[in-house]
Amino acid sequence: MKRLISAFLCIVSFFGFSQLNNVSAATPTNTSSLPTYSLVYLKAGPYYILYAHPTAPFVDQNDRLLIPLRTFDELFGGSVSYQTNTKTAQVIWQGHTFKFVVGSEKAEVDGKTFSMDTKPVIKDGSISLPIRLFLNTTNLKYHWDSVLRVLVLDDESILVGKPLMDFKGNDLYPKNIDNVLQIENYTIKKSQNGNFQLNITAKNKSGNDIPAGKADIHPLVSYGKVFGGFATDSYSRPNYPAISEVKSGEEVTVTQNFPLHDVEYIITVARIFS
């Protein structure tokens, strides 16, 4: 049964400042930026970050991963701000102060100027930042899987944002194995009944067949203040209905429906039960 933590959810089936509420020009209830199809480029601990309002993490024309500004605050425990008239973003994170200007390859870290090989951009009404400078100037543990083209933030100390805490608080099954199923892409299809269909495709990269009922792919959708709360299935059991056997090297797609209101984050795990 779909677990709904909100009074409003009962209808469900990479790489001088203003306050946070001025960071994004996109309105909280705007769902038009939800992608119809997207590859997946970012993983934090066991969580794949599929969507982070108002856009999914994406790789630009310079082959660099960019993520929305607010992600550093709302998922990873930083403090962010944006000055609209100068198009300047500031991020205080991991003991450092970063400043970026939209369209500029110059950025500052603790008052020192650095040159980047790409630029921050405005996408879907909000600024997205190259994540590489953050990784190069902090002690954050990470690795880039060049084959799968996924940036993995291995330092679980940054997993402090409310959407991730909501996820962790509902993950009741202690015995599971990560890094067996690789999330590759997802699609979103909007319906006329106020919901959207989320289809997540993963590949079995373990080298072994996964028996029926052992594969587990569970998304969580986090909503903004207007709609409130989050929606997810219980993590104390495999998907219902259980995922069929997944042969080594084969793909599997999981489909779930969620309310199409005020969507802020879509995150998921992909694992097997031991």
Side-chain angles (χ1 to χ4, degrees), residues 34-70:
L34 287 176
T36 56
Y37 170 87
S38 180
L39 298 174
V40 178
Y41 298 105
L42 181 62
K43 186 182 183 188
Y47 307 114
Y48 289 89
I49 312 302
L50 308 188
Y51 175 81
H53 72 114
T55 187
F58 66 97
V59 171
D60 68 6
Q61 65 273 18
N62 296 314
D63 205 29
R64 295 291 177 250
L65 177 63
L66 280 73
I67 65 175
L69 170 63
R70 295 180 68 161

Side-chain angles (χ1 to χ4, degrees), residues 207-224:
N208 300 303
D209 297 344
I210 301 175
K214 289 292 186 178
D216 184 54
I217 301 171
H218 264 107
L220 178 145
V221 177
S222 181
Y223 296 94

